[in-house]
Amino acid sequence: MHILALLVFPFLSTASVLQRPRDHEHPHNVEKRLPSTWYHHPDHPVHSLFRRGDTDGVTYAPVGSDEWAAGYPPDPPASPDVKTMPAAWLAALNDAIARKAIPEIPLTTAPSEDDNPVYPKGVDPNSPEICSSTYQCRIDGQVWDAPDSTLGLSFDDGPEAGSNKLIEFLKTNGQKVTHFMIGSNIRNNPDAFTQEFDLGNDIAVHTWTHPHMTTRSNEEVVAELGWTMQIIHNSTGGRVPKFWRPPYGDSDTRVTAIAKEVFGLTTVIWNQDTSDWSLSDSPPGTTAAKINSSMTQWLTGPKSPGLIILEHELSEQAVATFMSAYPVMQKNNWNVMSLAQLIGHNASYQNSDNNDSPVNAVDVINAKSGSPPQRLTPERLTPERVLYSRRFSY
Ligand SMILES: [Zn+2]
């Protein structure tokens, strides 16, 4: 065991430094615990953070309408202005900080999109205090692997140029997937968003402007997640996403804690990376042939753990590599599912099972004013919902 450790760890540290941020493979991950214990505040129903006056819970502005598009931050590259975010989000952050639920660790700097973010000199990204996913360190509660024999399908960065091709393929094959969406892309591509949601696919969070999140302040992390949750909530009949994926897979104890403590979001990474995002770069960073070869290797290999493969709907070329691999997934008897359904135990949202099931909003405002809050469906009580419902003695 000691000999093995000696052999593995020097390799690990070298490999981590050399890897490009989107080229991650994670064969040698180190399990780390968060320095502080998770606890979800019982007075903190996430749904209450997204209430928007009369429109919430009753009717929502039609997706794509001017009314719908209004009220969100300007287009990237500017990150959402933290001064304009709802006071309730900031209050939830300050509450989490007061509970000492958010680790106080340094921010990173990332000179460019292609550079790994770095911590100040002397800070070890693999230490339990930091545990950066960019450097392959895993935090308890994050999702990196799928259960044995299962393959959780997900696509990042949409709605984007590859979305229509993906939609057609999913429709033809009756396959559902999870879309980790960029909030500003939803606002700019409402038709593709609507089609993907209406097909029964699960919608999850991939931030508003796609930054390296460890470079962002606590308030900026809240704004990036909050606005994306808000537009998903307002465009799906009030559903609150359960999962988010950090852009470039970049998170640490601080970012992971903000996502969980402020918004109830579980951080999802991956265990295999196609690098399909780079197919549409000039020059391309990989080829369809290379991706096919990697896919074949993973899909014909061991089924433990199950697969979470990083794929994108950024381009038609990227979607085409998924289409080629799909029959191989079937042929090799993988249980292929939408990732959110798979890891969410058949509930893709914090307050709803899927796109057809009822939205179980725990209505704090009504509860406080004496009106009976909406009941949760007993057979679908997740731990979070049990916590929320306990307050109201359902
Ligand atoms: Zn991305």
Side-chain angles (χ1 to χ4, degrees):
M1 199 58 198
H2 290 290
I3 291 164
L4 186 65
L6 283 171
L7 288 172
V8 168
F9 285 127
F11 166 75
L12 240 187
S13 53
T14 315
S16 301
V17 172
L18 295 177
Q19 273 173 333
R20 284 162 56 90
R22 279 166 141 164
D23 286 339
H24 294 162
E25 290 187 22
H26 308 288
H28 305 290
N29 293 297
V30 185
E31 297 280 350
K32 293 279 167 63
R33 297 188 70 86
L34 273 175
S36 63
T37 313
W38 289 127
Y39 60 102
H40 211 108
H41 199 271
D43 289 341
H44 170 209
V46 173
H47 181 264
S48 69
L49 297 178
F50 300 103
R51 300 193 65 82
R52 305 211 88 190
D54 295 341
T55 59
D56 191 276
V58 187
T59 48
Y60 296 90
V63 174
S65 66
D66 289 347
E67 187 191 351
W68 170 83
Y72 295 107
D75 276 353
S79 265
D81 182 356
V82 297
K83 291 196 283 295
T84 60
M85 70 179 165
W89 302 355
L90 202 54
L93 171 65
N94 289 333
D95 177 69
I97 291 170
R99 289 186 277 117
K100 303 204 182 305
I102 312 297
E104 291 177 29
I105 60 169
L107 273 57
T108 60
T109 49
S112 83
E113 205 187 354
D114 287 338
D115 289 308
N116 272 347
V118 291
Y119 292 87
K121 210 163 174 237
V123 175
D124 176 6
N126 273 301
S127 65
E129 291 75 24
I130 305 288
C131 201
S132 163
S133 43
T134 292
Y135 295 85
Q136 326 299 308
C137 185
R138 297 182 174 201
I139 297 170
D140 271 5
Q142 291 179 335
V143 177
W144 293 64
D145 297 320
D148 291 357
S149 304
T150 62
L151 192 163
L153 289 173
S154 64
F155 292 85
D156 287 13
D157 293 6
E160 252 287 2
S163 297
N164 286 340
K165 191 180 179 79
L166 179 60
I167 289 163
E168 285 312 309
F169 184 81
L170 297 176
K171 211 186 285 182
T172 305
N173 289 278
Q175 179 65 56
K176 291 179 182 172
V177 301
T178 297
H179 301 277
F180 287 98
M181 288 187 168
I182 297 175
S184 55
N185 282 359
I186 297 176
R187 192 188 50 190
N188 294 334
N189 302 290
D191 290 346
F193 170 84
T194 303
Q195 286 185 64
E196 291 184 331
F197 179 71
D198 287 353
L199 271 179
N201 296 303
D202 301 310
I203 312 296
V205 172
H206 197 44
T207 75
W208 191 262
T209 72
H210 205 272
H212 285 102
M213 290 289 267
T214 62
T215 66
R216 295 298 198 258
S217 69
N218 290 350
E219 290 79 8
E220 288 168 334
V221 169
V222 167
E224 286 281 351
L225 296 174
W227 285 115
T228 311
M229 291 188 79
Q230 183 80 66
I231 199 167
I232 292 172
H233 171 271
N234 288 9
S235 311
T236 59
R239 285 167 175 78
V240 176
K242 199 175 192 174
F243 301 105
W244 84 292
R245 178 174 279 155
Y248 318 101
D250 180 45
S251 69
D252 57 16
T253 54
R254 180 181 65 93
V255 170
T256 302
I258 294 171
K260 179 55 94 179
E261 296 290 338
V262 178
F263 293 121
L265 286 168
T266 295
T267 302
V268 181
I269 316 284
W270 57 81
N271 59 14
Q272 295 295 353
D273 182 0
T274 58
S275 294
D276 64 351
W277 58 271
S278 67
L279 283 169
S280 48
D281 274 8
S282 57
T286 188
T287 62
K290 273 189 199 166
I291 295 176
N292 282 341
S293 159
S294 301
M295 283 282 204
T296 303
Q297 192 191 327
W298 304 328
L299 295 171
T300 57
K303 288 202 170 66
S304 179
L307 287 169
I308 299 179
I309 302 173
L310 179 64
E311 299 185 81
H312 292 80
E313 54 191 292
L314 268 174
S315 67
E316 294 195 348
Q317 298 99 298
V319 171
T321 59
F322 162 68
M323 289 164 56
S324 308
Y326 189 72
V328 189
M329 297 172 189
Q330 308 289 338
K331 203 173 133 200
N332 286 279
N333 297 317
W334 288 90
N335 181 9
V336 182
M337 287 180 71
S338 168
L339 179 57
Q341 283 286 301
L342 177 62
I343 60 179
H345 307 290
N346 303 316
S348 303
Y349 301 94
Q350 296 188 45
N351 58 348
S352 181
D353 291 344
N354 57 50
N355 298 354
D356 297 322
S357 55
V359 176
N360 301 313
V362 177
D363 193 333
V364 182
I365 291 171
N366 280 346
K368 279 180 179 162
S369 67
S371 310
Q374 193 178 343
R375 246 174 209 291
L376 294 171
T377 318
E379 63 271 21
R380 292 297 189 201
L381 283 177
T382 63
E384 293 99 321
R385 289 182 209 173
V386 170
L387 202 48
Y388 295 163
S389 61
R390 194 177 295 144
R391 187 174 174 215
F392 302 111
S393 312
Y394 287 173

